[in-house]
Amino acid sequence: MITNFKKQSRKDDVILLTWVVVILLLVVWFIIPPRNKFTQICFWGNNAKFFFAKMIGTSASTEYIFHRNNAIYLARMNPKKTIALKEMDKAVQTLPSYASDKELRRLYKDRAEIKLFLGDYKGALNDFVNSDMITFNDSLKVAMLFKLAGNYKEALSYCNNILNKDNSAYAGFACIADIYTSVGRPDVALKVWDLAIDRNKNNPRAYAGRALIKKAMGDMEGYNNDIKIAKEYSPALNIEDSIIEDALHPKMLILDIR
């Protein structure tokens, strides 16, 4: 004869109810912001790691790295909020006094990337310059930031830095052409694209860039001819893609976690 049927039934009901609650909580967690759940888990892990470091007394030398990593996670989770910049400021403030000048400049560079990602262009420019670690790949971004600040001369110098290292670099020509277009000289921008095509006749993006200038100047025949050539080289080419737009509005924050 079964005597513990009700007890077993109650136990099964409790287990089932627990699973239902857990599943509901997971569903709610997946729905509510932030949508980047993997980054959120990494953020929690970073905080847990620092908590244990504080418990064993080893946090002093790594606190600035904790704040830096937190800033990256926060920016990726919600690029519209500035809490990430507060964390990056803490990273600079908690950098140990014995740290090298290069380490400080690396933090400025990282903060510049975060500020650019969040749309703080003035702050990004200041940090890029203060870092003194502007690479070939940074030159277009810095040039565009100087352009936004109204310093066209300095902007052009960074555009030229690109071409000085690679005299056929599409980014360099796009950079210079954009600046001349911005100051109302599409005629000069057109000559810049002519030179770009002369140096690399197989680059569909150069033809597309020249086509857009011709269109702005009212030369629709020239526009259509250049678009035709660009499509012949690259049928899948999206004319609306803009390396300038990507430089000022990066879709991803590409910084390594340390």
Side-chain angles (χ1 to χ4, degrees), residues 94-131:
T94 56
L95 182 70
S97 58
Y98 54 80
S100 66
D101 180 62
K102 182 178 180 180
E103 189 68 5
L104 177 61
R105 289 188 286 115
R106 285 181 67 186
L107 288 180
Y108 282 137
K109 176 75 176 298
D110 291 343
R111 190 169 65 178
E113 295 286 1
I114 293 174
K115 286 180 177 179
L116 177 62
F117 185 65
L118 296 176
D120 178 6
Y121 301 125
K122 183 178 179 180
L125 178 58
N126 288 336
D127 278 343
F128 269 122
V129 173
N130 288 333
S131 75

Coordinates of all heavy atoms in Angstrom, one line a residue, residues 94-131:
T94 N 42.9 56.1 -10.5 CA 43.4 55.0 -9.6 C 44.7 54.4 -10.2 O 45.2 53.4 -9.6 CB 42.3 54.0 -9.4 OG1 41.9 53.5 -10.7 CG2 41.2 54.5 -8.6
L95 N 45.2 54.9 -11.3 CA 46.4 54.4 -11.8 C 47.5 54.6 -10.8 O 47.7 55.7 -10.3 CB 46.8 55.2 -13.1 CG 48.1 54.7 -13.8 CD1 47.9 53.3 -14.4 CD2 48.5 55.7 -14.9
P96 N 48.2 53.5 -10.4 CA 49.3 53.7 -9.4 C 50.3 54.7 -9.8 O 50.7 54.9 -10.9 CB 49.9 52.3 -9.3 CG 48.8 51.4 -9.8 CD 48.1 52.2 -10.9
S97 N 50.9 55.4 -8.8 CA 51.9 56.4 -9.0 C 53.1 55.9 -9.7 O 53.9 56.6 -10.3 CB 52.2 57.1 -7.7 OG 52.7 56.2 -6.8
Y98 N 53.4 54.6 -9.5 CA 54.6 54.0 -10.0 C 54.4 53.5 -11.5 O 55.4 53.0 -12.1 CB 55.1 52.8 -9.2 CG 54.0 51.8 -8.9 CD1 53.7 50.8 -9.9 CD2 53.3 51.7 -7.7 CE1 52.8 49.8 -9.6 CE2 52.4 50.8 -7.4 CZ 52.1 49.8 -8.4 OH 51.1 48.9 -8.2
A99 N 53.2 53.6 -12.0 CA 53.0 53.2 -13.4 C 53.7 54.1 -14.3 O 53.9 55.3 -14.1 CB 51.4 53.2 -13.6
S100 N 54.0 53.5 -15.5 CA 54.8 54.3 -16.5 C 53.9 55.3 -17.2 O 52.7 55.2 -17.2 CB 55.3 53.3 -17.5 OG 54.3 52.7 -18.3
D101 N 54.6 56.3 -17.8 CA 53.9 57.3 -18.5 C 53.1 56.7 -19.7 O 52.1 57.1 -20.1 CB 54.9 58.4 -19.0 CG 54.2 59.5 -19.8 OD1 53.3 60.2 -19.3 OD2 54.5 59.6 -21.0
K102 N 53.7 55.6 -20.3 CA 53.1 54.9 -21.4 C 51.7 54.3 -21.0 O 50.8 54.4 -21.8 CB 54.0 53.9 -21.9 CG 53.4 53.1 -23.1 CD 54.4 52.1 -23.7 CE 53.8 51.4 -24.9 NZ 54.8 50.3 -25.4
E103 N 51.7 53.8 -19.8 CA 50.4 53.2 -19.3 C 49.3 54.3 -19.2 O 48.2 54.1 -19.5 CB 50.6 52.6 -18.0 CG 49.4 51.7 -17.5 CD 49.2 50.5 -18.3 OE1 50.0 50.2 -19.3 OE2 48.2 49.8 -18.1
L104 N 49.7 55.5 -18.7 CA 48.7 56.6 -18.6 C 48.3 57.0 -20.0 O 47.1 57.2 -20.2 CB 49.4 57.8 -17.9 CG 48.5 59.1 -17.8 CD1 47.2 58.8 -17.0 CD2 49.3 60.2 -17.2
R105 N 49.2 57.0 -21.0 CA 48.8 57.4 -22.3 C 47.9 56.4 -23.0 O 47.0 56.7 -23.8 CB 50.1 57.7 -23.2 CG 50.8 58.9 -22.8 CD 51.9 59.3 -23.7 NE 53.1 58.4 -23.5 CZ 53.6 57.6 -24.4 NH1 53.0 57.5 -25.6 NH2 54.6 56.9 -24.2
R106 N 48.1 55.1 -22.6 CA 47.2 54.0 -23.1 C 45.8 54.2 -22.6 O 44.8 54.0 -23.3 CB 47.8 52.7 -22.6 CG 49.0 52.2 -23.4 CD 49.4 50.8 -22.9 NE 48.4 49.8 -23.2 CZ 48.5 48.5 -22.8 NH1 49.6 48.2 -22.0 NH2 47.6 47.6 -23.1
L107 N 45.7 54.7 -21.3 CA 44.4 54.9 -20.8 C 43.7 56.1 -21.5 O 42.5 56.1 -21.7 CB 44.5 55.2 -19.3 CG 44.8 54.0 -18.4 CD1 44.9 54.5 -16.9 CD2 43.8 52.9 -18.5
Y108 N 44.5 57.1 -21.8 CA 43.9 58.3 -22.6 C 43.4 57.8 -23.9 O 42.4 58.2 -24.4 CB 45.0 59.4 -22.8 CG 45.2 60.2 -21.6 CD1 46.5 60.6 -21.2 CD2 44.1 60.7 -20.8 CE1 46.7 61.4 -20.1 CE2 44.4 61.5 -19.7 CZ 45.6 61.9 -19.3 OH 45.9 62.7 -18.2
K109 N 44.2 56.9 -24.6 CA 43.8 56.4 -25.9 C 42.5 55.6 -25.8 O 41.6 55.7 -26.6 CB 45.0 55.5 -26.4 CG 44.7 54.8 -27.7 CD 44.7 55.8 -28.9 CE 44.5 55.0 -30.2 NZ 45.6 54.0 -30.5
D110 N 42.5 54.7 -24.8 CA 41.2 53.9 -24.6 C 40.0 54.8 -24.3 O 38.9 54.6 -24.8 CB 41.4 52.9 -23.4 CG 42.4 51.8 -23.7 OD1 42.7 51.6 -24.9 OD2 42.9 51.2 -22.8
R111 N 40.2 55.8 -23.5 CA 39.1 56.7 -23.1 C 38.7 57.5 -24.4 O 37.5 57.8 -24.6 CB 39.6 57.7 -22.0 CG 38.4 58.5 -21.5 CD 38.7 59.3 -20.2 NE 39.7 60.3 -20.4 CZ 40.2 61.1 -19.5 NH1 39.7 61.0 -18.2 NH2 41.1 62.0 -19.8
A112 N 39.7 57.8 -25.3 CA 39.3 58.5 -26.5 C 38.4 57.6 -27.4 O 37.4 58.1 -27.9 CB 40.6 58.8 -27.3
E113 N 38.7 56.3 -27.4 CA 37.9 55.4 -28.2 C 36.5 55.3 -27.7 O 35.5 55.3 -28.4 CB 38.6 54.0 -28.3 CG 39.9 54.0 -29.0 CD 39.8 54.1 -30.5 OE1 38.6 54.2 -31.0 OE2 40.8 54.0 -31.2
I114 N 36.4 55.3 -26.3 CA 35.1 55.2 -25.7 C 34.3 56.5 -25.9 O 33.1 56.4 -26.2 CB 35.2 54.9 -24.2 CG1 35.8 53.5 -24.0 CG2 33.9 55.0 -23.5 CD1 36.1 53.1 -22.5
K115 N 34.9 57.6 -25.8 CA 34.3 58.9 -26.0 C 33.8 59.0 -27.4 O 32.7 59.5 -27.7 CB 35.2 60.0 -25.7 CG 35.4 60.2 -24.2 CD 36.3 61.4 -23.9 CE 36.4 61.6 -22.4 NZ 37.4 62.8 -22.0
L116 N 34.6 58.6 -28.4 CA 34.2 58.6 -29.8 C 32.9 57.7 -30.0 O 32.0 58.1 -30.7 CB 35.3 58.1 -30.7 CG 35.0 58.0 -32.2 CD1 34.7 59.4 -32.8 CD2 36.2 57.4 -32.9
F117 N 33.0 56.5 -29.4 CA 31.9 55.6 -29.5 C 30.6 56.2 -28.9 O 29.5 55.9 -29.4 CB 32.2 54.3 -28.8 CG 31.2 53.2 -28.9 CD1 31.0 52.6 -30.2 CD2 30.6 52.7 -27.8 CE1 30.0 51.6 -30.3 CE2 29.6 51.7 -27.9 CZ 29.4 51.1 -29.2
L118 N 30.7 56.9 -27.9 CA 29.6 57.5 -27.2 C 29.2 58.9 -27.8 O 28.2 59.5 -27.3 CB 29.9 57.7 -25.7 CG 30.1 56.4 -24.9 CD1 30.5 56.8 -23.4 CD2 28.9 55.5 -24.9
G119 N 29.9 59.4 -28.7 CA 29.6 60.6 -29.4 C 30.1 61.9 -28.7 O 29.7 63.0 -29.1
D120 N 31.1 61.8 -27.8 CA 31.7 62.9 -27.2 C 33.0 63.3 -28.0 O 34.1 62.9 -27.7 CB 32.1 62.6 -25.8 CG 32.8 63.8 -25.1 OD1 32.9 64.9 -25.7 OD2 33.3 63.6 -23.9
Y121 N 32.7 64.0 -29.1 CA 33.8 64.3 -30.1 C 34.9 65.2 -29.6 O 36.1 65.0 -29.8 CB 33.2 64.8 -31.4 CG 32.2 63.9 -32.0 CD1 30.9 64.3 -32.3 CD2 32.5 62.6 -32.3 CE1 30.0 63.4 -32.8 CE2 31.6 61.7 -32.8 CZ 30.3 62.1 -33.1 OH 29.4 61.2 -33.6
K122 N 34.5 66.2 -28.9 CA 35.5 67.1 -28.3 C 36.4 66.4 -27.3 O 37.6 66.5 -27.3 CB 34.8 68.3 -27.6 CG 35.8 69.3 -27.1 CD 35.0 70.5 -26.5 CE 36.0 71.6 -25.9 NZ 35.3 72.7 -25.3
G123 N 35.8 65.6 -26.4 CA 36.6 64.9 -25.4 C 37.4 63.8 -26.1 O 38.6 63.6 -25.7
A124 N 36.9 63.2 -27.1 CA 37.7 62.2 -27.9 C 38.9 62.8 -28.5 O 40.0 62.2 -28.4 CB 36.8 61.5 -28.9
L125 N 38.8 63.9 -29.1 CA 39.9 64.6 -29.7 C 41.0 64.9 -28.7 O 42.2 64.7 -28.9 CB 39.4 65.8 -30.5 CG 40.5 66.7 -31.2 CD1 41.3 65.8 -32.2 CD2 39.9 67.9 -31.8
N126 N 40.6 65.5 -27.6 CA 41.5 65.9 -26.5 C 42.3 64.7 -26.1 O 43.5 64.7 -25.9 CB 40.8 66.5 -25.4 CG 40.3 67.9 -25.7 OD1 40.8 68.6 -26.6 ND2 39.3 68.4 -25.0
D127 N 41.6 63.5 -25.9 CA 42.3 62.3 -25.3 C 43.2 61.7 -26.4 O 44.2 61.2 -26.1 CB 41.2 61.3 -24.8 CG 40.8 61.7 -23.4 OD1 41.4 62.4 -22.7 OD2 39.7 61.1 -23.0
F128 N 42.8 61.7 -27.6 CA 43.6 61.2 -28.7 C 44.9 62.0 -28.7 O 46.0 61.4 -28.8 CB 42.9 61.3 -30.1 CG 42.2 60.1 -30.4 CD1 40.8 60.1 -30.7 CD2 42.8 58.8 -30.5 CE1 40.1 59.0 -31.1 CE2 42.1 57.7 -30.9 CZ 40.7 57.8 -31.2
V129 N 44.8 63.3 -28.7 CA 46.0 64.2 -28.8 C 46.9 64.0 -27.5 O 48.1 63.8 -27.6 CB 45.6 65.6 -28.9 CG1 46.8 66.6 -28.8 CG2 44.9 65.9 -30.3
N130 N 46.3 63.9 -26.3 CA 47.0 63.7 -25.1 C 47.7 62.4 -25.0 O 48.7 62.2 -24.3 CB 46.1 63.9 -23.9 CG 45.7 65.4 -23.7 OD1 46.4 66.3 -24.1 ND2 44.5 65.6 -23.1
S131 N 47.1 61.4 -25.7 CA 47.7 60.1 -25.6 C 49.0 60.0 -26.4 O 49.9 59.2 -26.0 CB 46.7 59.0 -26.2 OG 46.7 59.1 -27.6

